[in-house]
Amino acid sequence: MEIGIIGSGHIGGTLTRRLRSLGHDVAVANSRGPESLADLAAETGARAVSVEDAVQGAELVVVAIPLKAVPQLPAALFDGKLVVDANNYYPQRDGDIPELLDRSLSSSRWTADHLKGARVVKVFNNIQAAHLMDEGKPAGTSGRIALPVAADDADAKRTVMGLVDELGFDPVDAGTLDESWRQQPDTPVYGTDRDADGVREGLAAARP
């Protein structure tokens, strides 16, 4: 696939490495510009580009940036794009966002509202970057880590669940974007490396 990754931190950098190792064509961008990504590009063979170029040429775009930076993205470019939202809301970093503080919106719904027209899928937000890098296992392996995947668009969700499996994790359907609060920080599945049955139990046990 042609994949754009916005963000080169823990999750963005890890996905750049993993997806390139699987043979995907990856273009990576961040807020500091392509020159700041020269080392990552040299290491992985990914293309260091602008945010605009990362989005325009991509079949799938991963957004892995501080949540507070989402409103600064060029929203019109994302219209119709399949967007993987790997973000979390951390008030101490992102500031007071009332509808997220009171949980009247999931952070992915908030992101989708900013990226109007995007087909947003929530995943990769609940796993530690080191485990995303090193703990992928072949399908059928006992104890294989599972990742919850939430979206409103069934085709987009199916595509992303296939990518999760390719990366070595069991994808678990976690419902809609409005239900994706069940995989946000301070829930049973956040940072816990459960298998598929464990993720389903954790999602069901989550409380607002």
Side-chain angles (χ1 to χ4, degrees):
M1 293 180 73
E2 297 274 349
I3 297 175
I5 297 180
I6 301 174
S8 57
H10 294 305
I11 295 296
T14 295
L15 285 171
T16 299
R17 293 176 175 92
R18 289 295 323 277
L19 292 168
R20 277 296 300 140
S21 74
L22 294 170
H24 294 285
D25 186 351
V26 176
V28 61
N30 64 13
S31 61
R32 298 185 303 280
E35 55 284 345
S36 70
L37 296 166
D39 289 347
L40 182 60
E43 174 195 341
T44 62
R47 290 176 291 117
V49 299
S50 67
V51 168
E52 289 77 10
D53 286 343
V55 177
Q56 285 177 329
E59 300 168 68
L60 179 152
V61 181
V62 177
V63 177
I65 59 177
L67 194 77
K68 64 183 178 182
V70 167
Q72 299 162 28
L73 294 173
L77 281 182
F78 290 84
D79 188 26
K81 291 288 185 181
L82 198 173
V83 173
V84 170
D85 171 21
N87 294 343
N88 287 305
Y89 174 51
Y90 300 113
Q92 66 273 23
R93 178 195 66 189
D94 299 313
D96 292 348
I97 302 174
E99 58 268 46
L100 299 183
L101 279 172
D102 68 14
R103 294 195 175 225
S104 60
L105 283 184
S106 69
S107 66
S108 281
R109 176 62 65 198
W110 184 87
T111 294
D113 286 347
H114 283 285
L115 303 179
K116 290 289 187 189
R119 302 156 63 212
V120 176
V121 181
K122 180 76 161 189
V123 69
F124 303 127
N125 71 297
N126 75 308
I127 185 170
Q128 296 177 41
H131 295 186
L132 181 60
M133 187 72 200
D134 299 327
E135 299 298 328
K137 301 288 191 298
T141 302
S142 177
R144 193 189 200 205
I145 295 172
L147 300 180
V149 184
D152 297 340
D153 185 304
D155 288 338
K157 183 187 287 184
R158 195 158 37 243
T159 296
V160 173
M161 289 177 84
L163 197 63
V164 169
D165 181 52
E166 190 183 354
L167 285 162
F169 304 92
D170 280 340
V172 171
D173 191 329
T176 66
L177 291 184
D178 289 330
E179 295 174 285
S180 66
W181 63 268
R182 295 179 180 274
Q183 65 196 76
Q184 291 180 174
D186 303 319
T187 63
V189 301
Y190 181 75
T192 50
D193 291 344
R194 295 172 176 233
D195 65 10
D197 286 341
V199 166
R200 292 185 189 99
E201 291 168 3
L203 292 170
R207 294 293 176 265

